Amino acid sequence: PGVGRWEAYRELANVATGRAADLLARLLGVFVLMPRPNVSFLTRQDLLMILAQVAGRGPVTAVCQGFVAPQLAGEALLLFDEASVDDLAALARGQGNLGAGEEGDGDGTDLALRAELTLDVTGILVSAFLRGLAEQLDLSFHQGQPRWLGREVRGQELLRPEQLRWRQVLAMEIGYRLEGRPLRCDLLLLFTEDSVAALDERLSCLVR
């Protein structure tokens, strides 16, 4: 895309990011710090470098969720570090929502709670983000179930080069942070190469 088109992509992502941040803030009762999304084409090596950078913060938990729409397909990837999963559990217990349930009475219960919350937040953020995109692009997304990509592993262990069958993807990268809290999560929306033409066509109606 040209310069004007890149700005349209960023604004598209910015509106969707705000939708997801607002929903997360209301669920957790905290203020969500929302940086401007980054939109770019990523090669396989670029994505592996991003995961390596995240790995610098220590072990991460990652959940992925596929999505499709007419002529569009992609994968959402949500990354949490260990402190963020702990903070998420503490916030959810305090708010009494997100399936927090009763206070855990052992490691097994706590692990189950942490896993449930991580999947819940993934579903919430991805659904809200895609809904924000859908409203702007006048289409509907269908989502798969969130699934584990890795739990408390190093970022570079999440994906191996041979697992990536594409050459490049259109990526929307968003880092969500909570004011005064250790919780942080990184959301990557990855659209396949074949999806770009359809996105470009729909965006052309917005930038005329």
Side-chain angles (χ1 to χ4, degrees):
V3 174
R5 190 60 53 79
W6 275 123
E7 188 56 37
Y9 270 104
R10 292 187 187 100
E11 186 56 30
L12 181 74
N14 196 48
V15 171
T17 298
R19 166 69 73 90
D22 179 66
L23 182 55
L24 186 63
R26 286 188 279 115
L27 282 169
L28 296 178
V30 294
F31 182 75
V32 178
L33 303 172
M34 188 188 74
R36 190 165 174 79
N38 183 42
V39 182
S40 62
F41 281 117
L42 295 181
T43 65
R44 287 176 287 192
Q45 193 58 38
D46 292 332
L47 179 56
L48 292 172
M49 286 178 61
I50 289 174
L51 295 178
Q53 289 172 358
V54 172
R57 303 203 303 260
V60 296
T61 291
V63 182
C64 58
Q65 186 173 11
F67 56 86
V68 295
Q71 298 180 295
L72 299 173
E75 196 85 17
L77 177 62
L78 201 63
L79 305 169
F80 300 85
D81 59 25
E82 191 172 358
S84 296
V85 178
D86 290 341
D87 195 38
L88 178 61
L91 279 168
R93 284 193 178 106
Q95 289 296 108
N97 54 24
L98 281 175
E102 298 296 327
E103 195 75 26
D105 57 2
D107 289 343
T109 303
D110 288 339
L111 287 173
L113 170 64
R114 287 156 57 96
E116 179 185 357
L117 290 172
T118 305
L119 292 176
D120 283 348
V121 169
T122 298
I124 288 166
L125 283 178
V126 174
S127 294
F129 191 95
L130 290 177
R131 195 176 304 121
L133 290 182
E135 289 176 356
Q136 297 175 81
L137 296 173
D138 191 26
L139 51 75
S140 296
F141 284 99
H142 298 281
Q143 299 166 232
Q145 290 297 315
R147 62 189 189 279
W148 295 108
L149 193 59
R151 299 171 71 173
E152 296 185 8
V153 299
R154 291 288 173 180
Q156 63 266 38
E157 298 172 9
L158 293 173
L159 292 172
R160 297 185 299 275
E162 61 269 21
Q163 291 178 284
L164 306 177
R165 298 182 176 87
W166 40 264
R167 291 176 299 172
Q168 67 174 9
V169 290
L170 177 68
M172 297 179 179
E173 306 171 58
I174 308 99
Y176 290 99
R177 309 290 181 265
L178 302 189
E179 187 175 55
R181 308 285 309 198
L183 194 152
R184 56 186 290 170
C185 60
D186 295 287
L187 175 63
L188 288 138
L189 266 287
L190 307 174
F191 291 87
T192 64
E193 287 179 274
D194 294 340
S195 301
V196 174
L199 277 171
D200 213 39
E201 182 178 351
R202 288 183 177 272
L203 267 180
S204 65
C205 299
L206 301 178
V207 297
R208 285 173 183 168

